[in-house]
Amino acid sequence: PNTTGPRSRLALMFEDGIADAQRQVQQLAQSGDRAGAEQQLASIADMQVEANRLSEVELGLFERDLQLLPDNAGLQGTAGLARYRQGWRKEAEHALLTAHLLQPREPLHAYTLAIFYRDTGSPARALELARTLRRLRPQSEQFAAFEQELLRQRPVGPQR
């Protein structure tokens, strides 16, 4: 998920606004309206500052909550996603793994950690978790498709 709470949802709205503004800058520049393009660029910077501020505030709140409830798997998982969104990969992995270890039979935690591993260049770890998901929920078409996706991404040929 791209959002972990109300502040990240607002930040995502700002990021959508930034994408729209960037398209407008390009259109204005192509039409020769340099002043309009510069004005739009200034608004992009303001929106980016606010999006970053909201994400940082939300992460700070999660970090505070983790101090109070370190054994809460749901909070660990959500904080892991917030950390990942901020680019804190090592800390994100720690929280996502903690959530999974706290509740190893909860598919959401295994799935989130598998997605993290897939997206951060650890496909073997992602595949191991996808197989765990298949054991936990053998009827799940989503988990079967995820496992197949990871199998297709495996390198072909001898491993070194």
Side-chain angles (χ1 to χ4, degrees), residues 30-46:
Q30 289 173 346
S31 70
D33 185 355
R34 182 182 170 129
E38 288 174 358
Q39 184 179 13
Q40 200 63 319
L41 279 173
S43 74
I44 290 173
D46 293 341

Side-chain angles (χ1 to χ4, degrees), residues 98-120:
T98 298
H100 175 59
L101 293 174
L102 286 169
Q103 290 184 333
R105 298 198 52 80
E106 170 55 53
L108 176 63
H109 301 311
Y111 185 65
T112 305
L113 183 59
I115 295 289
F116 173 83
Y117 284 142
R118 180 199 65 191
D119 292 350
T120 57

